[in-house]
Amino acid sequence: MDKAFLFSLLISLTCFWSFCGGHLIDGIFTEPTLERGYNLVATVPRGAVVLNVTQLRHTENYLAVKLQDGSYLFNGNYSISLSGKYQAAGTTFVYFRQGSQNLESFSAIGPLEEPIDVMVLYQEPNPGIVYRYIIPGSAPSPNIHLGHKPVILFSVSNKAGEPILSAIPHRKIDVGSTNDGTQAYLPRRYKKRKFFWKASGYTECSRTCGGGVQMLRYVCTREHTQAPVPDKRCHTLEKPRETQVKCNTIPCPPKWRAGPWGVCSVTCGSGNRLRDVECVQEITPSLVMRIADGACTEPNILPTTEICEMPQCEFDTKAATTTLPPPQWSVGTWSSCSTTCGPGKRTRTATCVTHGPSCDLEVKPITQDACDLGPCSIKSPQTNAISTRLQSPQWLYSEWSDGCSAECGVGLQTRKIFCEKSPGEGFCDQSTRPESSRTCSSNRTCSGQWFTGPWTACSTECDSGEQVREVVCITILRGSLRIVLDMNCPANKPETRRSCSGPPCTSSWFISDWTECSRSCGKGIQKREVRCLNREGQPPEHHELHCKEKDRPISRRTCNDYPCKDDVHRSENQHTVLQVQNDPEISNVLEENPLCKDSTTNCNLVAQARLCTYQFYHQLCCQSCSKKQEFE
């Protein structure tokens, strides 16, 4: 017997004995076409019992439960869960993954301690999803006969997987009254106005292809009637945070993409600059693939060359006459025809000869011309295979690579291209360069392949951090690329996270502003705070790198170092200044530093033996070594 049928029967019996003094919500979700990905079927309110949700036939769609915090109980994040029991919302959900013996379904006895969203992971047309739950009222006493019988949502016929729906109208059924027409008593807590934030739909997708995001909107809703109300009704409730959902994950169509412009061909005047144009396809916002040029069906209208203007060329005004000769083009001799028979090309150079302004590009002589040396004769069988070259320079190319680069679907074949020329000759004509790659097809259909995006920068500037990248499963469906579930790709999925490390995090000296001078004349003192802090603004731990004591800023300095003019008794002034100068509080000696201490009683011997130059002894006897350096 079908497992879903048994569980529905159990729930129905439970309803009959304890929970059915309330309202039965019974409906079916029949929207056939949805957005690819997760879609909302229904929201089940808090307090609901005997919940059952079932898909009407086998499909590639999967049911999921979304909780209030935005997480999924099962079948979330495009990962399909196994059949079993799952704890959430104060109850146990029993999930049956669709198979040869059962349909896709889940059930829960309840009551729910928080609302849940019933979701469907949509991949093909929806055949219909039946859902049922009860909002309980007062429990009936044994001698009261309720106006309904236990109803089983569905059973399974003798044909495997074919559901038989019972005659249940798809509407809200009120079972809260008795046979004599009196209204069954509902507890006050269910008549009381209660509101909650309910998901009402998604915003427009941020991208039309290549993977965008949608934001889930929430509206204030009356819990008992599921009717929307003004947001002020939910002012005492915290509105759920915005949830992002992926949308339009289908890769974008191939398109032409131009690279950056190269440098100008001249350093002054007018010249030309070039750029490359390639055919690319955007799989995700962070994963753009270079594909064969033949995949771009639209004509390439992006220019590959343009005129560039550099600063005007400078010339010696002293040597220039009052009337300079106008700039003019100087052409070279035509080269030999590119072929020994049949149609070909010949080229020549065109150089601008000028003493100042640039030549007019509109009247530049042509540098390429067609040539024809007559029809080609049949090659004699006695011709030596390694005879003298027929033309120079010329393009040479190897055979196409064996096999297709892809084990399945569409791949590439490549070959090597080489320009053969003699010393002193020009380069080969780029317009006649043979293709170095071409598309090829494998006889085997792809089940799915992993594609990886670039690694992000390390999450931290120092010490250990993490890098992430996007990894998607892509397959070819009906001649175009599609992002599919991970189960369609090999088990060895490339890693999406990896650790990274930078230089060790060091602490730094931090200082405050100077205080005001303690005296307006006669040499006073100023003070400031000097602290060694790590990146979090705390004193460094023992395992962290401490600040270098030799780089420690001073914390005291003298100020207003001049005699007081209003002091009548000069001798007393001199005595006072002498006292101030000898005051140890003013001296710029090393102040007490809590991080710079002696760790042994023999540090005076270390300082006397001049061992402080070694890092080990300097850290062991920081205070003694620092004082010795100050006196020296």
Side-chain angles (χ1 to χ4, degrees):
M1 186 178 294
D2 190 278
K3 296 179 181 178
F5 173 81
L6 293 175
F7 199 81
S8 300
L9 179 60
L10 175 61
I11 287 181
S12 299
L13 294 176
T14 306
C15 166
F16 179 74
W17 290 111
S18 58
F19 291 117
C20 289
H23 295 279
L24 172 65
I25 306 298
D26 192 5
I28 181 171
F29 181 74
T30 58
E31 187 68 29
T33 304
L34 304 169
E35 290 288 338
R36 188 174 296 274
Y38 289 93
N39 292 266
L40 180 66
V41 175
T43 298
V44 183
R46 183 172 62 89
V49 296
V50 289
L51 168 67
N52 186 289
V53 181
T54 306
Q55 193 170 245
L56 294 184
R57 65 175 176 83
H58 292 88
T59 65
E60 291 297 323
N61 304 334
Y62 295 91
L63 299 175
V65 170
K66 188 176 183 182
L67 305 178
Q68 287 297 293
D69 60 0
S71 63
Y72 283 86
L73 182 60
F74 50 81
N75 293 347
N77 299 323
Y78 296 88
S79 178
I80 307 305
S81 306
L82 298 175
S83 300
K85 297 181 179 180
Y86 298 86
Q87 298 287 335
T91 186
T92 301
F93 290 80
V94 180
Y95 169 62
F96 292 109
R97 182 173 172 178
Q98 57 184 318
S100 59
Q101 300 298 323
N102 55 274
L103 297 172
E104 180 83 2
S105 66
F106 70 86
S107 306
I109 295 179
L112 301 180
E113 294 183 355
E114 65 177 56
I116 65 165
D117 290 336
V118 178
M119 311 291 290
V120 59
L121 177 54
Y122 177 84
Q123 298 188 94
E124 62 180 53
N126 170 38
I129 299 172
V130 176
Y131 58 91
R132 155 186 279 195
Y133 59 89
I134 292 175
I135 300 178
S138 61
S141 58
N143 59 350
I144 296 179
H145 176 67
L146 297 179
H148 73 286
K149 297 181 180 179
V151 183
I152 300 174
L153 183 63
F154 75 96
S155 62
V156 177
S157 68
N158 293 331
K159 296 181 180 180
E162 180 177 345
I164 300 176
L165 295 180
S166 56
I168 303 175
H170 303 307
R171 58 184 175 85
K172 179 180 176 182
I173 304 175
D174 188 357
V175 296
S177 59
T178 59
N179 286 342
D180 58 1
T182 60
Q183 184 72 23
Y185 172 73
L186 294 179
R188 180 175 180 81
R189 64 170 185 242
Y190 291 104
K191 291 184 177 180
K192 186 179 180 179
R193 291 183 178 181
K194 292 185 178 180
F195 309 96
F196 70 101
W197 291 105
K198 177 182 178 181
S200 65
Y202 293 92
T203 60
E204 291 292 331
C205 192
S206 61
R207 299 170 61 89
T208 58
C209 62
V213 294
Q214 292 175 295
M215 304 303 296
L216 181 60
R217 288 193 295 253
Y218 289 89
V219 297
C220 188
T221 306
R222 191 186 303 275
E223 182 176 340
H224 188 62
T225 62
Q226 298 292 300
V229 295
D231 287 353
K232 64 181 181 180
R233 297 284 189 178
C234 297
H235 71 280
T236 59
L237 304 174
E238 182 180 0
K239 192 172 184 179
R241 63 186 181 188
E242 293 183 344
T243 304
Q244 289 187 352
V245 178
K246 293 182 179 180
C247 56
N248 293 341
T249 56
I250 299 175
C252 296
K255 64 178 182 180
W256 295 103
R257 182 180 69 180
W261 289 105
V263 297
C264 195
S265 60
V266 296
T267 57
C268 63
S270 299
N272 295 315
R273 60 178 183 176
L274 306 174
R275 67 176 178 182
D276 294 328
V277 176
E278 58 185 5
C279 182
V280 298
Q281 185 170 23
E282 186 174 357
I283 306 302
T284 66
S286 60
L287 179 59
V288 179
M289 298 172 52
R290 168 76 168 91
I291 57 179
D293 292 348
C296 288
T297 57
E298 296 292 331
N300 180 14
I301 60 175
L302 299 176
T304 58
T305 180
E306 72 172 4
I307 299 175
C308 53
E309 295 290 342
M310 303 300 288
Q312 187 175 2
C313 297
E314 298 179 358
F315 58 94
D316 191 357
T317 56
K318 296 181 179 179
T321 60
T322 55
T323 57
L324 294 176
Q328 60 182 354
W329 292 101
S330 174
V331 297
T333 58
W334 287 105
S335 65
S336 58
C337 194
S338 61
T339 59
T340 57
C341 61
K345 289 184 180 181
R346 62 176 183 168
T347 59
R348 67 178 179 180
T349 60
T351 308
C352 178
V353 179
T354 178
H355 295 282
S358 303
C359 298
D360 188 0
L361 294 177
E362 294 183 358
V363 296
K364 180 180 179 180
I366 60 174
T367 58
Q368 289 187 5
D369 192 18
C371 56
D372 192 346
L373 300 182
C376 297
S377 60
I378 300 176
K379 185 176 180 181
S380 174
Q382 287 80 22
T383 301
N384 193 346
I386 52 175
S387 61
T388 307
R389 290 176 297 172
L390 299 179
Q391 56 179 332
S392 182
Q394 64 179 346
W395 291 109
L396 301 179
Y397 49 87
S398 64
E399 295 291 338
W400 290 107
S401 58
D402 294 334
C404 199
S405 63
E407 297 180 357
C408 59
V410 180
L412 287 176
Q413 281 183 302
T414 59
R415 63 180 176 182
K416 297 179 180 179
I417 308 295
F418 176 70
C419 177
E420 184 186 41
K421 62 185 183 68
S422 300
E425 294 180 340
F427 292 97
C428 298
D429 186 6
Q430 291 292 332
S431 63
T432 61
R433 188 179 191 274
E435 289 187 353
S436 59
S437 64
R438 67 180 181 183
T439 58
C440 56
S441 299
S442 174
N443 296 328
R444 190 165 61 88
T445 304
C446 287
S447 60
Q449 290 181 313
W450 295 112
F451 283 86
T452 58
W455 289 105
T456 62
C458 196
S459 59
T460 58
E461 297 179 356
C462 58
D463 280 350
S464 298
E466 188 180 46
Q467 289 178 293
V468 296
R469 66 177 176 181
E470 193 164 5
V471 179
V472 295
C473 179
I474 297 180
T475 187
I476 298 179
L477 296 176
R478 293 182 290 275
S480 60
L481 293 174
R482 293 287 189 272
I483 297 180
V484 295
L485 296 176
D486 291 355
M487 66 175 64
N488 295 289
C489 277
N492 54 339
K493 180 179 180 180
E495 60 179 357
T496 58
R497 297 177 180 271
R498 70 178 181 186
S499 59
C500 54
S501 60
C505 292
T506 59
S507 302
S508 304
W509 290 110
F510 288 81
I511 58 175
S512 66
D513 292 333
W514 289 105
T515 62
E516 294 184 1
C517 193
S518 61
R519 298 179 184 180
S520 60
C521 61
K523 199 172 187 180
I525 60 172
Q526 287 179 298
K527 299 180 181 180
R528 65 179 177 183
E529 292 287 340
V530 178
R531 302 281 181 84
C532 179
L533 303 176
N534 58 18
R535 299 177 71 246
E536 286 74 29
Q538 301 295 328
E541 301 292 341
H542 294 290
H543 65 276
E544 295 181 324
L545 294 178
H546 289 243
C547 305
K548 294 182 179 180
E549 198 62 35
K550 65 182 182 66
D551 298 331
R552 191 176 198 273
I554 61 173
S555 60
R556 293 182 178 89
R557 69 180 180 183
T558 59
C559 55
N560 296 337
D561 188 10
Y562 52 84
C564 296
K565 296 180 180 180
D566 298 334
D567 199 337
V568 180
H569 304 287
R570 184 167 185 176
S571 61
E572 293 181 3
N573 287 344
Q574 292 176 348
H575 179 67
T576 303
V577 171
L578 183 61
Q579 281 186 335
V580 172
Q581 290 176 342
N582 295 334
D583 189 351
E585 291 295 325
I586 302 176
S587 302
N588 287 329
V589 298
L590 182 70
E591 67 177 20
E592 289 295 329
N593 180 10
L595 300 178
C596 183
K597 296 181 180 180
D598 291 343
S599 301
T600 180
T601 57
N602 297 324
C603 285
N604 57 336
L605 299 178
V606 172
Q608 293 176 8
R610 299 183 179 275
L611 298 176
C612 293
T613 55
Y614 299 97
Q615 184 178 3
F616 170 78
Y617 289 106
H618 192 282
Q619 292 180 351
L620 188 67
C621 303
C622 178
Q623 187 174 10
S624 298
C625 290
S626 299
K627 287 182 178 180
K628 183 172 179 59
Q629 291 176 358
E630 186 68 25
F631 287 122
E632 291 177 351

